[in-house]
Coordinates of all heavy atoms in Angstrom, one line a residue:
L1 N -10.4 -7.3 16.4 CA -11.3 -7.4 15.3 C -10.6 -7.0 14.0 O -11.0 -7.4 12.9 CB -12.5 -6.6 15.5 CG -13.5 -7.1 16.6 CD1 -14.6 -6.1 16.8 CD2 -14.0 -8.5 16.3
I2 N -9.5 -6.2 14.1 CA -8.8 -5.8 12.9 C -8.1 -7.0 12.3 O -7.9 -7.1 11.1 CB -7.9 -4.6 13.1 CG1 -8.8 -3.4 13.4 CG2 -7.0 -4.3 12.0 CD1 -8.1 -2.1 13.6
N3 N -7.6 -7.9 13.1 CA -6.9 -9.1 12.7 C -7.8 -10.2 12.1 O -7.4 -11.1 11.5 CB -6.0 -9.7 13.7 CG -4.8 -8.8 14.0 OD1 -4.3 -8.1 13.1 ND2 -4.3 -8.9 15.2
Y4 N -9.1 -10.1 12.3 CA -10.1 -11.0 11.8 C -10.0 -11.0 10.3 O -9.9 -9.9 9.6 CB -11.5 -10.6 12.2 CG -12.6 -11.4 11.6 CD1 -12.7 -12.8 11.8 CD2 -13.6 -10.8 10.8 CE1 -13.7 -13.5 11.2 CE2 -14.6 -11.5 10.2 CZ -14.7 -12.9 10.4 OH -15.7 -13.6 9.8
Q5 N -10.0 -12.2 9.6 CA -9.7 -12.3 8.2 C -10.9 -12.9 7.4 O -10.8 -13.1 6.2 CB -8.5 -13.2 8.0 CG -7.2 -12.6 8.5 CD -6.0 -13.5 8.2 OE1 -6.1 -14.4 7.4 NE2 -4.9 -13.2 8.9
G6 N -12.0 -13.1 8.1 CA -13.2 -13.7 7.4 C -14.0 -12.7 6.6 O -13.6 -11.6 6.4
K7 N -15.1 -13.2 6.0 CA -15.9 -12.5 5.2 C -16.4 -11.2 5.9 O -16.8 -11.2 7.0 CB -17.1 -13.3 4.7 CG -17.9 -12.6 3.7 CD -19.0 -13.5 3.1 CE -19.8 -12.8 2.0 NZ -20.8 -13.7 1.5
G8 N -16.3 -10.1 5.2 CA -16.7 -8.8 5.8 C -15.6 -8.1 6.6 O -15.8 -7.0 7.0
S9 N -14.5 -8.8 6.8 CA -13.4 -8.1 7.5 C -12.7 -7.1 6.7 O -12.8 -7.0 5.5 CB -12.4 -9.2 8.0 OG -11.6 -9.7 6.8
L10 N -11.9 -6.3 7.4 CA -11.1 -5.3 6.7 C -10.2 -5.9 5.7 O -10.1 -5.5 4.5 CB -10.3 -4.5 7.7 CG -9.3 -3.4 7.2 CD1 -10.2 -2.3 6.4 CD2 -8.6 -2.7 8.3
L11 N -9.4 -6.9 6.1 CA -8.6 -7.6 5.1 C -9.4 -8.2 3.9 O -9.0 -8.0 2.8 CB -7.8 -8.7 5.8 CG -6.9 -9.6 4.9 CD1 -5.8 -8.7 4.1 CD2 -6.2 -10.7 5.6
F12 N -10.5 -8.8 4.2 CA -11.3 -9.4 3.1 C -11.7 -8.3 2.1 O -11.5 -8.5 0.9 CB -12.5 -10.0 3.8 CG -13.5 -10.7 2.8 CD1 -13.3 -12.0 2.5 CD2 -14.5 -10.0 2.2 CE1 -14.2 -12.6 1.6 CE2 -15.4 -10.6 1.3 CZ -15.2 -11.9 1.0
N13 N -12.1 -7.2 2.6 CA -12.5 -6.1 1.7 C -11.4 -5.5 0.9 O -11.5 -5.3 -0.3 CB -13.3 -5.0 2.4 CG -14.7 -5.5 2.9 OD1 -15.3 -6.3 2.2 ND2 -15.1 -5.1 4.1
L14 N -10.3 -5.2 1.6 CA -9.1 -4.6 0.9 C -8.5 -5.6 -0.1 O -8.1 -5.2 -1.2 CB -8.1 -4.2 2.0 CG -8.5 -3.0 2.9 CD1 -7.4 -2.8 3.9 CD2 -8.6 -1.8 2.0
R15 N -8.4 -6.9 0.3 CA -7.9 -7.9 -0.6 C -8.8 -8.1 -1.8 O -8.3 -8.2 -3.0 CB -7.7 -9.2 0.1 CG -6.9 -10.2 -0.7 CD -6.8 -11.5 0.0 NE -5.8 -11.5 1.1 CZ -5.7 -12.3 2.1 NH1 -6.6 -13.3 2.3 NH2 -4.8 -12.2 3.0
N16 N -10.1 -8.1 -1.6 CA -11.0 -8.2 -2.8 C -10.9 -7.1 -3.8 O -11.1 -7.3 -4.9 CB -12.4 -8.4 -2.3 CG -12.8 -9.8 -1.9 OD1 -12.0 -10.7 -2.1 ND2 -13.9 -10.0 -1.2
Q17 N -10.5 -5.9 -3.3 CA -10.4 -4.7 -4.2 C -8.9 -4.7 -4.7 O -8.6 -3.7 -5.5 CB -10.7 -3.5 -3.4 CG -12.2 -3.4 -3.0 CD -12.5 -2.1 -2.3 OE1 -12.2 -1.1 -2.8 NE2 -13.2 -2.2 -1.2
G18 N -8.1 -5.6 -4.3 CA -6.7 -5.7 -4.8 C -5.8 -4.6 -4.3 O -4.8 -4.3 -4.9
L19 N -6.1 -4.1 -3.1 CA -5.4 -3.0 -2.5 C -4.2 -3.5 -1.6 O -3.2 -2.8 -1.5 CB -6.3 -2.0 -1.7 CG -7.4 -1.4 -2.6 CD1 -8.3 -0.6 -1.7 CD2 -6.8 -0.6 -3.7
V20 N -4.5 -4.7 -0.9 CA -3.4 -5.2 -0.1 C -3.4 -6.7 -0.3 O -4.4 -7.4 -0.7 CB -3.7 -4.9 1.4 CG1 -3.8 -3.5 1.7 CG2 -4.9 -5.6 2.0
S21 N -2.3 -7.4 0.1 CA -2.2 -8.8 0.1 C -2.2 -9.4 1.5 O -2.6 -10.6 1.7 CB -0.9 -9.2 -0.6 OG 0.3 -8.7 0.1
S22 N -1.9 -8.6 2.5 CA -2.0 -9.0 3.9 C -2.1 -7.8 4.8 O -1.8 -6.7 4.4 CB -0.8 -9.9 4.4 OG 0.3 -9.1 4.4
L23 N -2.6 -8.1 6.0 CA -2.9 -7.0 7.0 C -2.9 -7.6 8.4 O -3.4 -8.7 8.6 CB -4.2 -6.3 6.7 CG -4.6 -5.1 7.6 CD1 -5.1 -4.0 6.7 CD2 -5.6 -5.6 8.5
K24 N -2.3 -6.8 9.3 CA -2.3 -7.3 10.8 C -2.2 -6.0 11.6 O -1.8 -5.0 11.2 CB -1.2 -8.3 11.1 CG 0.2 -7.7 11.0 CD 1.2 -8.8 11.3 CE 2.6 -8.2 11.2 NZ 3.6 -9.1 11.6
S25 N -2.7 -6.2 12.9 CA -2.6 -5.1 13.8 C -1.9 -5.6 15.1 O -1.9 -6.8 15.4 CB -3.9 -4.5 14.1 OG -4.7 -5.4 14.8
K26 N -1.4 -4.6 15.9 CA -0.7 -5.0 17.1 C -0.7 -3.9 18.1 O -0.6 -2.7 17.7 CB 0.8 -5.3 16.7 CG 1.7 -5.7 17.9 CD 3.1 -6.0 17.5 CE 3.9 -6.5 18.6 NZ 5.3 -6.7 18.2
V27 N -0.9 -4.2 19.3 CA -0.8 -3.2 20.4 C 0.4 -3.5 21.2 O 0.6 -4.7 21.6 CB -2.1 -3.2 21.3 CG1 -1.9 -2.3 22.5 CG2 -3.3 -2.9 20.5
S28 N 1.3 -2.5 21.4 CA 2.5 -2.7 22.2 C 2.6 -1.7 23.3 O 2.4 -0.5 23.1 CB 3.7 -2.5 21.3 OG 3.7 -3.4 20.3
P29 N 2.8 -2.2 24.6 CA 3.0 -1.3 25.7 C 4.3 -0.4 25.5 O 5.3 -1.0 25.0 CB 3.1 -2.2 26.9 CG 3.4 -3.5 26.4 CD 3.0 -3.6 25.0
I30 N 4.2 0.8 25.7 CA 5.4 1.7 25.7 C 6.0 1.9 27.1 O 7.1 1.6 27.3 CB 5.0 3.1 25.0 CG1 4.5 2.8 23.6 CG2 6.2 4.0 25.0 CD1 4.0 4.0 22.9
Y31 N 5.1 2.4 28.0 CA 5.4 2.5 29.4 C 4.1 2.6 30.1 O 3.0 2.6 29.5 CB 6.4 3.6 29.7 CG 5.9 5.0 29.2 CD1 5.1 5.8 30.0 CD2 6.4 5.4 27.9 CE1 4.7 7.1 29.5 CE2 6.0 6.7 27.5 CZ 5.1 7.5 28.2 OH 4.8 8.7 27.8
K32 N 4.2 2.6 31.4 CA 3.0 2.5 32.2 C 1.9 3.5 31.8 O 2.1 4.7 31.7 CB 3.3 2.8 33.7 CG 2.1 2.6 34.6 CD 2.5 2.7 36.1 CE 1.3 2.5 37.0 NZ 1.7 2.6 38.4
G33 N 0.8 3.0 31.4 CA -0.4 3.8 31.0 C -0.3 4.2 29.5 O -1.2 5.0 29.1
M34 N 0.7 3.8 28.8 CA 0.8 4.2 27.4 C 1.0 3.0 26.5 O 1.8 2.1 26.9 CB 1.9 5.2 27.2 CG 1.7 6.5 27.9 SD 0.5 7.5 27.2 CE 1.1 8.0 25.6
S35 N 0.4 2.9 25.4 CA 0.6 1.8 24.4 C 0.6 2.4 23.0 O 0.0 3.5 22.8 CB -0.5 0.8 24.5 OG -0.5 0.1 25.8
S36 N 1.1 1.7 22.1 CA 1.1 2.1 20.7 C 0.2 1.1 20.0 O 0.2 -0.1 20.3 CB 2.4 2.2 20.0 OG 3.0 0.9 19.9
F37 N -0.5 1.5 18.9 CA -1.3 0.7 18.1 C -0.9 0.8 16.7 O -0.7 1.9 16.2 CB -2.8 1.1 18.2 CG -3.7 0.4 17.3 CD1 -4.0 -1.0 17.5 CD2 -4.3 1.0 16.2 CE1 -4.9 -1.7 16.7 CE2 -5.2 0.3 15.4 CZ -5.4 -1.0 15.6
K38 N -0.6 -0.3 16.0 CA 0.0 -0.3 14.7 C -0.8 -1.3 13.8 O -1.2 -2.4 14.2 CB 1.4 -0.8 14.8 CG 2.2 -0.9 13.5 CD 3.6 -1.4 13.8 CE 4.4 -1.6 12.6 NZ 5.8 -2.1 12.9
I39 N -1.1 -0.8 12.6 CA -1.7 -1.6 11.5 C -0.6 -1.7 10.5 O -0.1 -0.7 9.9 CB -2.9 -1.0 11.0 CG1 -4.1 -0.9 12.1 CG2 -3.5 -1.8 9.8 CD1 -5.3 -0.2 11.6
S40 N -0.2 -2.9 10.1 CA 0.7 -3.2 9.0 C 0.1 -3.9 7.9 O -0.8 -4.8 8.1 CB 1.9 -4.0 9.6 OG 2.5 -3.4 10.7
A41 N 0.5 -3.5 6.7 CA -0.1 -4.1 5.5 C 0.9 -4.3 4.4 O 1.8 -3.4 4.3 CB -1.3 -3.4 5.0
Y42 N 0.8 -5.3 3.6 CA 1.6 -5.4 2.4 C 0.7 -4.8 1.3 O -0.4 -5.4 1.0 CB 2.0 -6.8 2.1 CG 3.1 -7.3 2.9 CD1 2.9 -8.2 4.0 CD2 4.4 -6.9 2.6 CE1 3.9 -8.6 4.8 CE2 5.5 -7.3 3.4 CZ 5.2 -8.2 4.5 OH 6.2 -8.6 5.3
I43 N 1.0 -3.6 0.9 CA 0.2 -2.9 -0.1 C 0.6 -3.2 -1.5 O 1.8 -3.2 -1.8 CB 0.3 -1.4 0.2 CG1 -0.1 -1.0 1.6 CG2 -0.6 -0.6 -0.8 CD1 0.2 0.4 2.0
T44 N -0.4 -3.5 -2.3 CA -0.2 -3.9 -3.7 C 0.1 -2.6 -4.5 O 0.0 -1.5 -4.0 CB -1.4 -4.6 -4.3 OG1 -2.4 -3.6 -4.3 CG2 -1.8 -5.8 -3.6
D45 N 0.6 -2.8 -5.8 CA 0.8 -1.6 -6.6 C -0.5 -0.8 -6.8 O -0.5 0.4 -6.8 CB 1.3 -2.1 -8.0 CG 2.8 -2.6 -8.0 OD1 3.5 -2.3 -7.0 OD2 3.1 -3.3 -8.9
K46 N -1.6 -1.6 -6.9 CA -2.9 -0.9 -7.0 C -3.2 -0.1 -5.8 O -3.8 1.0 -5.8 CB -4.0 -1.9 -7.3 CG -5.4 -1.3 -7.5 CD -6.5 -2.4 -7.8 CE -7.8 -1.8 -7.9 NZ -8.9 -2.8 -8.2
G47 N -2.9 -0.7 -4.6 CA -3.1 0.0 -3.4 C -2.3 1.3 -3.2 O -2.7 2.3 -2.7
I48 N -1.0 1.2 -3.7 CA -0.2 2.4 -3.7 C -0.8 3.5 -4.6 O -0.9 4.7 -4.2 CB 1.3 2.1 -4.2 CG1 2.0 1.1 -3.3 CG2 2.1 3.3 -4.5 CD1 2.4 1.7 -2.0
K49 N -1.3 3.1 -5.8 CA -1.9 4.0 -6.7 C -3.2 4.6 -6.1 O -3.7 5.7 -6.5 CB -2.2 3.4 -8.1 CG -0.9 3.1 -8.8 CD -1.2 2.3 -10.1 CE 0.1 1.9 -10.7 NZ -0.1 1.0 -11.9
N50 N -3.9 3.8 -5.2 CA -5.1 4.2 -4.7 C -5.0 4.4 -3.1 O -5.9 4.0 -2.4 CB -6.2 3.2 -5.0 CG -6.5 3.2 -6.5 OD1 -7.1 4.0 -7.0 ND2 -5.9 2.2 -7.2
I51 N -3.9 5.0 -2.7 CA -3.7 5.0 -1.2 C -4.8 5.8 -0.5 O -5.1 5.5 0.6 CB -2.2 5.6 -1.0 CG1 -1.9 5.3 0.5 CG2 -2.2 7.1 -1.3 CD1 -1.6 3.9 0.8
D52 N -5.3 6.9 -1.1 CA -6.4 7.6 -0.5 C -7.6 6.7 -0.2 O -8.2 6.8 0.9 CB -6.7 8.9 -1.3 CG -5.7 9.9 -1.2 OD1 -4.8 9.9 -0.3 OD2 -5.7 10.8 -2.1
K53 N -7.9 5.9 -1.2 CA -9.1 5.0 -1.1 C -8.8 4.0 0.0 O -9.7 3.7 0.8 CB -9.4 4.3 -2.4 CG -10.5 3.4 -2.4 CD -10.8 2.7 -3.7 CE -11.9 1.7 -3.7 NZ -12.2 1.1 -4.9
L54 N -7.6 3.4 0.0 CA -7.2 2.4 1.0 C -7.3 3.0 2.4 O -7.9 2.4 3.3 CB -5.8 2.0 0.7 CG -5.2 0.8 1.5 CD1 -4.1 0.1 0.7 CD2 -4.8 1.1 2.9
L55 N -6.8 4.2 2.6 CA -6.8 4.8 4.0 C -8.2 5.1 4.4 O -8.6 5.0 5.5 CB -5.9 6.0 4.0 CG -4.4 5.8 3.9 CD1 -3.7 7.1 3.8 CD2 -3.9 5.0 5.0
E56 N -9.0 5.6 3.4 CA -10.4 5.9 3.7 C -11.2 4.6 4.2 O -11.9 4.6 5.1 CB -11.1 6.4 2.4 CG -12.6 6.8 2.7 CD -13.2 7.3 1.4 OE1 -12.5 7.8 0.6 OE2 -14.4 7.2 1.3
I57 N -10.9 3.5 3.5 CA -11.5 2.2 4.0 C -11.1 1.8 5.4 O -11.9 1.4 6.2 CB -11.2 1.1 2.9 CG1 -11.9 1.4 1.6 CG2 -11.7 -0.3 3.4 CD1 -11.5 0.5 0.4
V58 N -9.8 2.0 5.6 CA -9.3 1.6 7.0 C -10.0 2.5 8.0 O -10.4 2.0 9.1 CB -7.8 1.7 7.0 CG1 -7.2 1.6 8.4 CG2 -7.1 0.7 6.1
I59 N -10.0 3.8 7.8 CA -10.6 4.7 8.8 C -12.1 4.4 8.9 O -12.6 4.4 10.1 CB -10.4 6.2 8.3 CG1 -8.9 6.5 8.5 CG2 -11.2 7.1 9.1 CD1 -8.5 7.8 7.8
Q60 N -12.8 4.1 7.8 CA -14.2 3.7 8.0 C -14.4 2.5 8.8 O -15.4 2.4 9.6 CB -14.9 3.6 6.5 CG -15.1 4.8 5.8 CD -15.6 4.6 4.4 OE1 -15.6 3.5 3.9 NE2 -16.0 5.7 3.8
Y61 N -13.5 1.5 8.6 CA -13.6 0.3 9.4 C -13.4 0.5 10.9 O -14.1 0.0 11.7 CB -12.6 -0.8 8.9 CG -12.9 -2.1 9.4 CD1 -13.9 -3.0 8.9 CD2 -12.1 -2.7 10.4 CE1 -14.1 -4.2 9.4 CE2 -12.3 -3.9 10.9 CZ -13.3 -4.7 10.4 OH -13.5 -6.0 10.9
I62 N -12.4 1.4 11.2 CA -12.2 1.7 12.6 C -13.4 2.4 13.2 O -13.8 2.1 14.3 CB -10.9 2.5 12.7 CG1 -9.7 1.6 12.4 CG2 -10.7 3.1 14.1 CD1 -8.4 2.4 12.3
E63 N -14.0 3.3 12.4 CA -15.2 4.0 12.9 C -16.3 3.0 13.1 O -17.1 3.1 14.1 CB -15.6 5.1 11.9 CG -14.7 6.3 11.8 CD -14.7 7.1 13.1 OE1 -15.8 7.2 13.8 OE2 -13.6 7.5 13.5
F64 N -16.4 2.0 12.2 CA -17.4 1.0 12.3 C -17.2 0.2 13.6 O -18.2 0.0 14.4 CB -17.4 0.0 11.1 CG -18.1 -1.3 11.3 CD1 -19.5 -1.3 11.3 CD2 -17.4 -2.4 11.6 CE1 -20.2 -2.5 11.5 CE2 -18.1 -3.6 11.8 CZ -19.5 -3.7 11.7
L65 N -16.0 -0.1 13.9 CA -15.6 -0.9 15.1 C -15.9 -0.1 16.4 O -16.4 -0.6 17.4 CB -14.2 -1.4 15.1 CG -13.8 -2.4 14.1 CD1 -12.3 -2.7 14.2 CD2 -14.7 -3.7 14.3
K66 N -15.7 1.2 16.3 CA -16.0 2.1 17.5 C -17.5 2.0 17.8 O -17.9 2.0 19.0 CB -15.6 3.5 17.2 CG -14.1 3.7 17.3 CD -13.7 5.1 16.8 CE -14.4 6.2 17.4 NZ -13.8 7.6 16.9
K67 N -18.3 1.9 16.8 CA -19.8 1.8 17.0 C -20.3 0.5 17.3 O -21.2 0.2 18.1 CB -20.5 2.4 15.8 CG -20.2 3.8 15.5 CD -21.0 4.3 14.3 CE -20.5 5.7 13.9 NZ -21.0 6.1 12.6
E68 N -19.7 -0.6 16.7 CA -20.2 -1.9 16.7 C -19.4 -3.0 17.5 O -19.9 -4.1 17.6 CB -20.4 -2.4 15.3 CG -21.4 -1.6 14.4 CD -22.8 -1.6 14.9 OE1 -23.2 -2.7 15.5 OE2 -23.5 -0.6 14.7
S69 N -18.3 -2.6 18.0 CA -17.4 -3.6 18.6 C -18.0 -4.4 19.7 O -17.7 -5.5 20.0 CB -16.1 -3.1 19.0 OG -16.3 -2.1 20.0
L70 N -19.0 -3.8 20.4 CA -19.6 -4.4 21.5 C -20.9 -5.1 21.1 O -21.7 -5.6 22.0 CB -19.8 -3.5 22.7 CG -18.5 -2.9 23.3 CD1 -18.9 -1.9 24.4 CD2 -17.6 -4.0 23.8
N71 N -21.2 -5.1 19.9 CA -22.4 -5.7 19.3 C -22.3 -7.2 19.5 O -21.4 -7.8 19.0 CB -22.6 -5.3 17.8 CG -23.8 -5.8 17.2 OD1 -24.1 -7.0 17.2 ND2 -24.6 -5.0 16.6
E72 N -23.3 -7.8 20.2 CA -23.2 -9.2 20.4 C -23.3 -10.1 19.2 O -22.6 -11.1 19.0 CB -24.4 -9.6 21.4 CG -24.3 -11.1 21.8 CD -25.4 -11.4 22.9 OE1 -26.0 -10.4 23.4 OE2 -25.6 -12.6 23.1
N73 N -24.1 -9.7 18.2 CA -24.2 -10.4 16.9 C -22.9 -10.4 16.2 O -22.5 -11.4 15.6 CB -25.3 -9.8 16.0 CG -26.7 -10.1 16.6 OD1 -26.9 -11.1 17.2 ND2 -27.6 -9.3 16.3
L74 N -22.2 -9.2 16.1 CA -20.9 -9.2 15.5 C -19.9 -10.1 16.2 O -19.2 -10.9 15.5 CB -20.4 -7.7 15.5 CG -19.0 -7.5 14.9 CD1 -18.9 -7.8 13.5 CD2 -18.6 -6.0 15.1
Y75 N -19.9 -10.0 17.5 CA -19.0 -10.9 18.2 C -19.2 -12.3 18.0 O -18.3 -13.1 17.7 CB -19.1 -10.6 19.7 CG -18.3 -11.5 20.6 CD1 -17.0 -11.4 20.8 CD2 -19.0 -12.6 21.2 CE1 -16.3 -12.3 21.5 CE2 -18.3 -13.5 22.0 CZ -16.9 -13.4 22.2 OH -16.2 -14.2 22.9
N76 N -20.5 -12.7 18.0 CA -20.8 -14.2 17.8 C -20.5 -14.6 16.4 O -20.1 -15.8 16.2 CB -22.3 -14.4 18.1 CG -22.6 -14.3 19.6 OD1 -21.7 -14.6 20.4 ND2 -23.8 -13.9 20.0
N77 N -20.7 -13.8 15.4 CA -20.4 -14.2 14.0 C -18.9 -14.4 13.9 O -18.5 -15.3 13.2 CB -20.8 -13.1 13.1 CG -22.3 -13.0 12.8 OD1 -23.0 -14.0 13.1 ND2 -22.8 -11.9 12.4
I78 N -18.1 -13.6 14.5 CA -16.6 -13.7 14.4 C -16.2 -14.9 15.2 O -15.3 -15.7 14.8 CB -15.9 -12.4 14.8 CG1 -16.2 -11.3 13.7 CG2 -14.4 -12.6 14.9 CD1 -15.8 -9.9 14.1
K79 N -16.7 -15.0 16.4 CA -16.3 -16.1 17.3 C -16.5 -17.5 16.7 O -15.7 -18.4 16.9 CB -17.1 -16.0 18.6 CG -16.8 -17.0 19.6 CD -17.7 -16.9 20.8 CE -19.1 -17.3 20.4 NZ -20.0 -17.9 21.4
D80 N -17.6 -17.6 15.9 CA -18.0 -18.9 15.4 C -17.2 -19.2 14.1 O -17.4 -20.3 13.5 CB -19.5 -19.0 15.1 CG -20.3 -18.9 16.4 OD1 -19.7 -19.2 17.5 OD2 -21.5 -18.5 16.4
T81 N -16.4 -18.4 13.6 CA -15.6 -18.7 12.4 C -14.3 -19.2 12.7 O -13.7 -19.2 13.7 CB -15.5 -17.4 11.5 OG1 -14.8 -16.4 12.2 CG2 -16.9 -17.0 11.0

């Protein structure tokens, strides 16, 4: 869901505020039972100047996903785009 780019997505919101130009996430296995999770973004000059705001938005989005990721309506909205 972090890689979703439609309306209401993390990228959509950060881009609309001029904080990033792109964003993606990736999970990579490290060894049995362990993986790393990485979010990469091209941060704009405005994003650098407002890094605390940018990080707050990312953390809030992750908290939202923790609560809503299994929400059927959210899944169907994203699936249909």
